[in-house]
């Protein structure tokens, strides 16, 4: 079994690291919330580390899953960061969703120290992380990807190699762009149908048996109907991803008109107090405007 590291133990990272431990790997653990790293180390026989540098001093392959670009850069390149302790030949695999351009710069800095780097953002939300069924989109050297494939297996069942550095992130942002815009269409359509007197469950059945069928809608709609908004993927983190989409569009000269409006709707949901709820809670913005609830 391998000597691995995992940094960042939030809603996604904690179960991902736990799956590596349960697969029999040695795993050195760090989290910005120290109690989470201590808890997982105690529960699953991992090793607690006080700094990212300490993780890097012990692990041959390090995974991280943190909230945003600034966090990733700090954990990898900052004071007491991974770069301070990583040995030549080690691999850093960043499962965070961050700026593709900044990810490439991080990879260049690590390469100067003889450390390989992959961007490997994932999708599947908390249930996928818990069940080890995440989908990973990989950018970087294909030979390095082949080396770390066995370590990804306990965490995910679909691995897509997307190309060179930053390409996994480019694919992930595209996926979330489409997902977030579909969600806004669902919100508008279901509020309109409910306001017009159509039963929401009937409307969902119609959608599921038409060209408008969507896996996202089929999965999220029952949570809306039951008014269950505990986060599997929170509004604030999708809002962060939408900002990255718009940044990428600007860099590449691609106008993202619909996504710009979706960003404003997510910003409105955050201003209304829904930042830490699941993304499907964005339906509340329109519901509150027109005085209906989409529920069973």
């Amino acid at each position: 079994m391998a000597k691995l590291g995992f940094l960042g133990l939030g809603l996604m990272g904690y179960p991902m690291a736990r799956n590596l431990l349960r697969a029999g790997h040695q795993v050195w653990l760090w989290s910005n919330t120290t109690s989470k790293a201590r808890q997982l180390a105690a529960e699953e026989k991992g090793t607690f580390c006080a700094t990212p540098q300490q993780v890097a001093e012990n692990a041959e392959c390090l995974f991280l899953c943190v909230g945003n670009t600034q966090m990733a850069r700090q954990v990898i390149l900052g004071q007491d960061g991974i770069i301070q302790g990583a040995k030549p030949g080690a691999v850093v695999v960043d499962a965070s969703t961050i700026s593709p351009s900044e990810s490439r710069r991080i990879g260049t800095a690590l390469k100067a120290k003889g450390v390989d780097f992959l961007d490997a953002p994932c999708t599947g939300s908390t249930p996928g992380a818990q069940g080890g069924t995440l989908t990973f989109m990989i950018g970087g050297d294909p030979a390095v990807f082949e080396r770390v494939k066995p370590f990804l297996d306990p965490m995910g069942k679909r691995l897509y190699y997307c190309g060179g550095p930053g390409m996994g992130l480019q694919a992930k942002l595209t996926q979330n762009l489409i997902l977030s815009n579909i969600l806004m269409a669902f919100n508008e359509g279901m509020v309109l149908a409910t306001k017009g007197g159509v039963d929401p469950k009937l409307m969902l059945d119609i959608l599921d048996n038409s060209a408008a069928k969507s896996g996202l809608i089929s999965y999220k709609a029952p949570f809306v109907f039951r008014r269950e908004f505990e986060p599997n993927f929170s509004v604030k983190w999708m809002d962060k991803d939408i900002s990255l989409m718009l940044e990428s569009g600007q860099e590449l000269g691609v106008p993202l008109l619909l996504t710009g409006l979706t960003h404003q709707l997510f910003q409105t949901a955050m201003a209304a107090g829904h930042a830490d709820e699941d993304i499907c809670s964005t339906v509340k913005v329109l519901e509150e405007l027109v005085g209906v609830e989409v529920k069973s």
Side-chain angles (χ1 to χ4, degrees), residues 7 52-53 55-57 62-64 72 74-87 92 110 115:
L7 304 98
Q53 178 179 343
V55 177
E57 287 169 348
L62 299 91
F63 294 92
L64 67 148
Q74 181 64 31
V75 169
I76 299 171
L77 303 182
Q79 184 177 0
D80 299 322
I82 288 170
I83 199 169
Q84 308 299 330
K87 303 176 182 69
V92 176
L110 287 170
V115 177

Side-chain angles (χ1 to χ4, degrees), residues 1-6 16-17 19-21 23 25-27 59-63 91 93 118 136 144-157 159:
M1 292 293 104
K3 295 181 177 181
L4 306 179
F6 205 103
M16 291 165 73
N19 286 337
L20 289 174
L21 284 159
H25 296 295
Q26 288 182 273
V27 184
E60 59 190 2
C61 179
L62 299 91
F63 294 92
V91 183
V93 183
L118 297 174
F136 286 90
V144 177
F145 171 47
E146 291 298 326
R147 280 168 53 199
V148 305
K149 255 186 182 179
F151 310 144
L152 289 163
D153 184 65
M155 299 185 289
K157 299 310 176 193
L159 309 177

Side-chain angles (χ1 to χ4, degrees), residues 219-230 294-296:
Y219 178 69
K220 289 293 187 184
F223 290 97
V224 174
F225 297 166
R226 297 191 300 265
R227 315 307 293 174
E228 294 178 7
F229 299 112
E230 293 78 12
V294 178
K295 62 182 180 181
S296 302

Side-chain angles (χ1 to χ4, degrees), residues 137-216:
M137 290 146 276
I138 314 295
D141 186 329
V144 177
F145 171 47
E146 291 298 326
R147 280 168 53 199
V148 305
K149 255 186 182 179
F151 310 144
L152 289 163
D153 184 65
M155 299 185 289
K157 299 310 176 193
R158 289 183 183 271
L159 309 177
Y160 291 100
Y161 178 71
C162 300
M167 296 304 291
L169 285 161
Q170 203 69 59
K172 171 65 186 294
L173 291 179
T174 299
Q175 185 247 330
N176 268 5
L177 181 153
I178 294 169
L179 185 153
S180 60
N181 287 326
I182 288 173
L183 182 64
M184 291 300 106
F186 164 77
N187 291 349
E188 289 191 2
M190 294 302 284
V191 170
L192 178 65
T194 302
K195 185 73 171 181
V198 180
D199 177 72
K201 293 180 75 174
L202 171 63
M203 193 68 241
L204 177 62
D205 193 42
I206 293 169
L207 293 173
D208 280 343
N209 291 281
S210 75
K213 179 179 174 64
S214 161
L216 171 72

